[in-house]
Amino acid sequence: MTNVTLRPISFGEILDQAFSLFRRLFVPLVLVQIICTGVIIPLQLFVAAGGRQFSALYLVTVLINMIASALASAAVALLISENYLGRSLGAGGALKLALPKIGPVILLSMALGLVLIVSAIPAGIAFASGMAILVPLGTGTAATAGLDRLPMAAGLMLTGFALLLVPLAVFAGLAVSTPALVIENIGAGAALQRSWSLTRRFRLRTIGLLLLTAILIGIPFLGVTLLVTMLPSDAAILLAQALSLLVLLILTPLIYCVLTLLYYDLRVRKEGFDLQVLADSLAA
């Protein structure tokens, strides 16, 4: 462990240091993304251009994308973590260290997706019930009877919006599961439990960080959408997909910068990780 200063950092400092890390590590981060997804983007565009959804090529593309995304996630998290702690790690070394973690990261992604889907079921039921009531019932007496149900439909829709807080809270609780899995070399289930424990009492802060990061990343996507609306319709769709994938490829590491810094900040606050690093450096 090289000499590194760790301390609890504020909301704004996490974002500031995340952007600093992103700028400093931009080349190796983007290189990892290109190596992992450089084949996927042309395949996705080819499938989209030919309308080959649910074909054999489409399924192969999904499988390759799952493996490549897992490798990229693990490599990016390791690259950010090692450099944040003052140790030098490049794109090649990060990819080599990330290879054994592909399986656990895929399992973690599937488990996280399943948990989020289950947590969103109550909101989905409320929305579906409200929409069912709003289905046109005809004219005359039937329409009048339908208008009487509008307050119930509105109540169900509002309930659905309120219940969306459940998957949002669950996602906040599990937000640092990928850094925990990759950095601590633990399994998918242990990583979910680890993240849930670390984020306890800090989930509102986590939600705020994730929402602000999503907004900052969403601005380029909005720019891409406005750009392609000025082009002919035949070229606009493919160009929009290509530019969106390119923006995602470049900016995805920024999310991991935020999550990795949040992970270490939570460990400093709750486990005295800064004291552990200091003790290790003194022992060395």
Side-chain angles (χ1 to χ4, degrees), residues 16 34 58 63 173:
D16 181 61
I34 291 174
Y58 174 78
L63 179 61

Side-chain angles (χ1 to χ4, degrees), residues 61-124:
T61 302
V62 170
L63 179 61
I64 296 175
N65 185 43
M66 185 183 300
I67 296 172
S69 297
L71 178 60
S73 299
V76 165
L78 285 169
L79 185 61
I80 294 168
S81 172
E82 291 298 293
N83 283 275
Y84 177 64
L85 294 179
R87 296 184 289 235
S88 179
L89 182 66
L95 288 167
K96 184 177 180 180
L97 291 174
L99 281 173
K101 304 179 188 296
I102 293 177
V105 171
I106 291 176
L107 288 176
L108 176 63
S109 300
M110 295 173 64
L112 182 57
L114 180 61
V115 170
L116 290 175
I117 289 173
V118 171
S119 66
I121 287 177

Side-chain angles (χ1 to χ4, degrees), residues 128-139:
S129 301
M131 292 300 296
I133 293 175
L134 291 176
V135 171
L137 298 176
T139 59

Side-chain angles (χ1 to χ4, degrees), residues 255-275:
I255 301 174
Y256 283 97
C257 288
V258 173
L259 291 177
T260 303
L261 290 178
L262 175 62
Y263 163 79
Y264 278 118
D265 179 59
L266 291 172
R267 289 193 63 183
V268 168
R269 292 175 183 273
K270 306 187 77 170
E271 300 175 348
F273 182 70
D274 51 337
L275 300 178

Side-chain angles (χ1 to χ4, degrees), residues 3-174:
N3 190 17
V4 58
T5 301
L6 291 173
R7 59 179 177 80
I9 52 180
S10 66
F11 186 101
E13 286 177 313
I14 288 179
L15 290 175
D16 181 61
Q17 292 189 27
F19 275 98
S20 296
L21 269 174
F22 181 68
R23 289 193 301 269
R24 180 159 58 90
L25 301 175
F26 182 79
V27 173
L29 287 174
V30 173
L31 184 59
V32 167
Q33 293 287 96
I34 291 174
I35 291 173
C36 293
T37 61
V39 180
I40 300 301
I41 292 178
L43 277 176
Q44 289 177 332
L45 294 175
F46 179 73
V47 170
R52 297 176 176 84
Q53 278 76 8
F54 305 110
S55 64
L57 179 60
Y58 174 78
L59 295 176
V60 170
T61 302
V62 170
L63 179 61
I64 296 175
N65 185 43
M66 185 183 300
I67 296 172
S69 297
L71 178 60
S73 299
V76 165
L78 285 169
L79 185 61
I80 294 168
S81 172
E82 291 298 293
N83 283 275
Y84 177 64
L85 294 179
R87 296 184 289 235
S88 179
L89 182 66
L95 288 167
K96 184 177 180 180
L97 291 174
L99 281 173
K101 304 179 188 296
I102 293 177
V105 171
I106 291 176
L107 288 176
L108 176 63
S109 300
M110 295 173 64
L112 182 57
L114 180 61
V115 170
L116 290 175
I117 289 173
V118 171
S119 66
I121 287 177
I125 293 174
F127 277 121
S129 301
M131 292 300 296
I133 293 175
L134 291 176
V135 171
L137 298 176
T139 59
T141 306
T144 303
L147 290 174
D148 294 337
R149 300 179 187 177
L150 283 178
M152 181 184 297
L156 286 170
M157 298 293 284
L158 289 174
T159 301
F161 279 112
L163 288 174
L164 286 176
L165 295 175
V166 176
L168 185 61
V170 170
F171 183 73
L174 303 177

